[in-house]
Amino acid sequence: MSSDTAPSWQADIDRLSEQLSEAISGADDLEALRAVELAALGRKGSLTALMKRIGTLDKDERKAFGSASGGLRGRVTKSLNERRETIRRQGVLAELSDSSFDETVPGRSSELGHVHPLNRVQMEAEDVFVSMGFEVLDYPEVESEFNNFEALNIPSWHPARDMQDTFWLESGQLLRTHTSAGQVRAMHALKAPFRAIFPGKVYRYEATDASHEHTFHQLEGLMIDRHVSVGHLLDSMRTLLSAILRREVTVRLRPGYFPFVEPGFELDISCQVCEGTGCSVCKQSGWVELLPCGLVHPNVLRAGGLDPEHWQGWAFGLGLSRLVMMRYGIDDIRLLLGGDARFVEGFHPGT
Ligand code: FA5
């Protein structure tokens, strides 16, 4: 464009283009280049300021100015990127030519992680239940007193509260003591009939030993339908245990009391750590308490908004941490969440 026809801003664009291209090629390291970039394209940069001039121009000049200044911005961005790449490459070459650099030293390989055995067993249990038509739900660990106790037929005066003391928050909420706290949540969230499991971490204020932790995992199962039976319940338990333990195990069923089921049962399995002969995990009894269950109490159905005249349910609360111990023959529950990486490393994919 000849100088007599060139618009007044063209000279400014040309001048800035020249200045910036010199500054970019003169930047010797990444820090200097970043300073050039900011001085040109930052909020108060020279090119940013130039581009803002579009607002002061006549309508018919704006298109030409926009295209010229936009073109300059594109070229500057490209040059900045190319220069950055060149500086990086020069840095690598300089390192390689350093006489103290020994390319024969083996590199550091990164370790392959392991899925924690708790997560592995949980995922497998989820697959088993999903194959039987269950939904998998996830509920909060910080719960209301209502969901954890009252809705489950455990009012504040009930002695069953003493069996599950926990950590209370100043807000009056608590760390859930069992996954059963999700039962009324599920009844309100899903339309009956439904079947669902909700696995997760639970907390209790309790002295620890080989089979008791203050923080452990459970997996709750809940089935609501017009007619359910203990037979359905036991069959689901059997399907789960044979899938996870991959061997025939002896189980026993005995009556168990939980205010939120009627009737209630305890399903124990023969201790897989000592094969029933007696050890610290089973407290020398040969049996491990694993799976309390029962038919949902009418008061709980009511708390979940269901009419016990029309709906029935069964529920179980699997001690997932103990199931993991039985699967792998782990003789102390405290190893599971102890945080020692060597423990997790012992469980290879596929075990
Ligand atoms: C309950 O938590 C009931 N919510 C279970 C239930 C659900 C009953 C639905 C009926 C219907 P319990 O406190 O027994 O029950 O715990 C259930 C299982 O969690 C136990 O069988 C045991 O396997 C495991 N468990 C209990 N306390 C601990 C602990 N401190 N450490 C590790 N596992 C535990």
Side-chain angles (χ1 to χ4, degrees), residues 256-316:
Y257 174 69
F258 299 92
F260 37 99
V261 285
E262 180 56 43
F265 308 99
E266 287 277 8
L267 190 137
D268 303 333
I269 68 167
S270 69
C271 181
Q272 304 294 296
V273 175
C274 61
E275 293 180 348
T277 55
C279 67
S280 58
V281 172
C282 59
K283 297 211 170 69
Q284 314 305 329
S285 71
W287 294 98
V288 172
E289 190 189 298
L290 188 69
L291 232 160
C293 50
L295 298 184
V296 180
H297 194 286
N299 287 351
V300 180
L301 291 170
R302 277 188 209 101
L306 297 172
D307 181 352
E309 295 295 321
H310 295 110
W311 297 104
Q312 298 181 331
W314 55 246
F316 65 84

Side-chain angles (χ1 to χ4, degrees), residues 121-174:
V121 172
Q122 181 178 321
M123 289 188 290
E124 286 181 22
E126 286 176 9
D127 285 347
V128 171
F129 281 105
V130 166
S131 76
M132 295 192 284
F134 283 71
E135 291 188 48
V136 182
L137 306 174
D138 187 22
Y139 286 131
E141 291 169 22
V142 172
E143 255 300 359
S144 65
E145 186 177 352
F146 179 80
N147 284 343
N148 197 83
F149 291 125
E150 272 149 37
L152 296 173
N153 216 16
I154 316 178
S156 57
W157 50 264
H158 202 290
R161 286 241 181 158
D162 298 341
M163 287 150 61
Q164 296 192 5
D165 199 4
T166 186
F167 304 92
W168 291 81
L169 280 72
E170 280 171 6
S171 61
Q173 289 174 298
L174 49 83

Side-chain angles (χ1 to χ4, degrees), residues 152 163-164 177-180 183 204 206-207 211-218 220-221 258 260-261 264-267 288-294 315-323 333:
L152 296 173
M163 287 150 61
Q164 296 192 5
T177 56
H178 51 179
T179 43
S180 302
Q183 285 193 14
R204 290 191 196 173
E206 104 168 287
S211 55
H212 291 84
E213 256 291 21
H214 48 72
T215 304
F216 58 100
H217 285 68
Q218 289 188 340
E220 192 84 3
F258 299 92
F260 37 99
V261 285
F265 308 99
E266 287 277 8
L267 190 137
V288 172
E289 190 189 298
L290 188 69
L291 232 160
C293 50
F316 65 84
L318 165 70
L320 194 64
S321 306
R322 291 204 187 150
L323 182 61
I333 194 170

